[in-house]
Amino acid sequence: MPTRPGLKIGRILGIPIYLHASWVIIFFLITLSLAMQFTQEHPRWSATQHWTIGIVTSLLFFASVLFHELAHSVVAQHYKIQVVSITLFIFGGVARIGREPSKAIQEFNIAVAGPLASFFLYGVFYGLTRIFPYSEMLGALAAWLAFINVRLASFNLIPGFPLDGGRIFRAIVWGSTKNYVRATRIAGTSGKLVAYGIILYGAWHAMRGEWSAGLWLVFIGWFLLNAAQESVAQVAIRETLAGLSAADVMSHEVPAVEGHITLEEYGAEVLRTGRRCHLVLNGGRLVGMMNVHTLNAVPRNEWAHNSVQSAMIPREKILWTSPDEPLLRLLERLLSADVNQMPVVSGSGDGAPQIVGMVTRDSILRVMQTRSELGSLAPGR
Ligand SMILES: [Zn+2]
């Protein structure tokens, strides 16, 4: 999946829509091949007509892809799942959702909405060719779009994760076995098989001399293979961290510094102790948090005449966790906020919140590594 969303082109239903840089390549290639196809099939049209219809058809193709992703998104939003973004890139579109669906039926409906939307568009464009049979240009445009939307729907229905068909497949296995992890493993494996199949099919085409079609298939297969492996890896993480909470991995020592010391002095403290994060106190009262990352954001020559208090993360901006927060969710929060550590706050019996420890990304990764090394020794596996 593209990691950087790219150029924001607008917002639909509150969802930001992005164009990834790789989209430009595919837009150019599709427009070019359409213009060539129209030149061959309609020699009486002018070159301007070939290119205009080519560009309009190409744009409508991407509108179709967007429509497909919006269909997934509307159903996700119906289940109160936030849609973070929709990105158009070289292999089509991807709608990123804020969390995985919590029920198999939800996943099924979200996944099936996309192909249904593409079949709907097939109907619309096919209808256009019937309603306006005398218009050659509209006919050429609509016929191609009808064809491509059917292709889009059928390709996406292939039962290999992370394609829609793979999600539908996972939802069915999940619903019938009530085991999300196992369902993902099975769908992930079928995704890998499908990907290898597409790669082999592409290689076969290439060997028969159809280079561009063959290489394109190999490329798509390779992309799907990566995506399938990634989703299986995510489930492995989920499984490793299952049942653990912040309290299990937090360190109980919470180093603190006084707010009035200079950044120079703070840097010396970090170097001396190797601790990378401190709470900042002012006369015993918590006022903020300081860490190496924040220190490095200040130019070195200003360290001597700036206090920790002037550079720290103020108290109200600190992200907290509680001892019983599940580790998986905590890790996701750490990653999405791009912070390395969070203080653990416990609301004690008498109401006054108290800092009881510190959780770092490293401590979570260490647990994951240890658990995967011990594997079968860990309880409950
Ligand atoms: Zn889809």
Side-chain angles (χ1 to χ4, degrees):
M1 301 284 152
T3 43
R4 283 173 187 278
L7 180 73
K8 188 169 164 183
I9 54 164
R11 199 176 258 279
I12 303 178
L13 302 171
I15 306 161
I17 316 288
Y18 294 94
L19 280 188
H20 187 253
S22 65
W23 177 86
V24 179
I25 302 169
I26 195 69
F27 177 75
F28 174 76
L29 286 177
I30 289 184
T31 308
L32 183 72
S33 93
L34 279 168
M36 273 161 44
Q37 185 187 331
F38 293 152
T39 307
Q40 229 171 37
E41 291 173 356
H42 305 280
R44 283 177 300 109
W45 298 1
S46 69
T48 318
Q49 283 172 325
H50 291 137
W51 280 97
T52 311
I53 302 299
I55 291 171
V56 173
T57 308
S58 197
L59 285 173
L60 283 173
F61 166 60
F62 286 102
S64 303
V65 173
L66 185 58
F67 186 74
H68 174 115
E69 297 306 328
L70 282 170
H72 288 305
S73 308
V74 168
V75 181
Q77 284 179 335
H78 171 75
Y79 292 125
K80 308 267 181 291
I81 296 172
Q82 191 212 351
V83 182
V84 183
S85 64
I86 291 179
T87 305
L88 296 181
F89 70 119
I90 192 161
F91 296 121
V94 55
R96 268 191 57 216
I97 55 177
R99 62 175 172 85
E100 292 288 319
S102 47
K103 287 194 190 115
I105 183 69
Q106 296 183 352
E107 161 136 76
F108 183 89
N109 289 337
I110 294 171
V112 88
L116 285 182
S118 295
F119 278 126
F120 169 76
L121 286 180
Y122 158 75
V124 170
F125 287 116
Y126 180 75
L128 283 180
T129 65
R130 301 264 104 177
I131 300 169
F132 304 100
Y134 46 83
S135 167
E136 257 190 27
M137 281 178 233
L138 184 64
L141 171 146
W144 190 83
L145 285 166
F147 155 81
I148 204 74
N149 273 296
V150 162
R151 282 276 291 265
L152 200 64
S154 351
F155 178 73
N156 269 296
L157 283 173
I158 296 175
F161 208 76
L163 292 171
D164 296 337
R167 293 185 189 277
I168 292 170
F169 179 48
R170 172 169 79 172
I172 293 170
V173 179
W174 180 12
S176 49
T177 63
K178 309 279 173 244
N179 188 331
Y180 176 84
V181 171
R182 209 165 107 209
T184 306
R185 281 246 173 79
I186 295 171
T189 307
S190 85
K192 279 190 228 170
L193 289 177
V194 165
Y196 283 126
I198 293 174
I199 292 173
L200 284 178
Y201 185 59
W204 178 68
H205 266 286
M207 277 190 299
R208 289 184 17 183
E210 297 158 49
W211 278 104
S212 55
L215 284 180
W216 184 241
L217 283 169
V218 170
F219 209 30
I220 290 181
W222 171 78
F223 163 76
L224 287 176
L225 187 63
N226 275 314
Q229 278 162 344
E230 206 175 285
S231 44
V232 172
Q234 269 170 10
V235 164
I237 292 177
R238 233 176 128 122
E239 203 186 19
T240 329
L241 294 183
L244 294 179
S245 66
D248 292 315
V249 299
M250 72 180 187
S251 77
H252 290 277
E253 64 178 303
V254 188
V257 292
E258 282 293 324
H260 60 76
I261 67 169
T262 65
L263 293 178
E264 193 78 61
E265 288 167 315
Y266 180 69
E269 172 75 8
V270 168
L271 286 178
R272 193 172 62 81
T273 60
R275 295 192 184 108
R276 303 172 59 86
C277 179
H278 294 77
L279 296 177
V280 181
L281 304 178
N282 200 347
R285 207 170 57 85
L286 177 72
V287 288
M289 197 169 88
M290 188 68 195
N291 58 39
V292 175
H293 186 73
T294 315
L295 177 67
N296 275 330
V298 180
R300 181 89 211 212
N301 56 3
E302 290 173 22
W303 284 11
H305 35 263
N306 272 300
S307 69
V308 162
Q309 193 150 359
S310 68
M312 69 182 186
I313 304 159
R315 190 194 155 112
E316 61 277 7
K317 287 211 176 131
I318 304 178
L319 296 170
W320 312 93
T321 175
S322 65
D324 50 0
E325 176 164 9
L327 219 43
L328 181 68
R329 209 176 68 206
L330 177 57
L331 180 63
E332 283 170 355
R333 283 211 297 138
L334 284 167
L335 293 176
S336 72
D338 197 24
V339 295
N340 278 312
Q341 62 274 309
M342 271 190 209
V344 185
V345 175
S346 149
S348 58
D350 53 356
Q354 206 188 351
I355 298 170
V356 291
M358 192 78 90
V359 171
T360 63
R361 260 195 228 188
D362 288 348
S363 62
I364 300 178
L365 296 179
R366 255 199 316 276
V367 167
M368 279 166 56
Q369 200 184 349
T370 314
R371 284 204 152 198
S372 66
E373 273 171 24
L374 286 179
S376 54
L377 290 178
R381 289 181 57 131

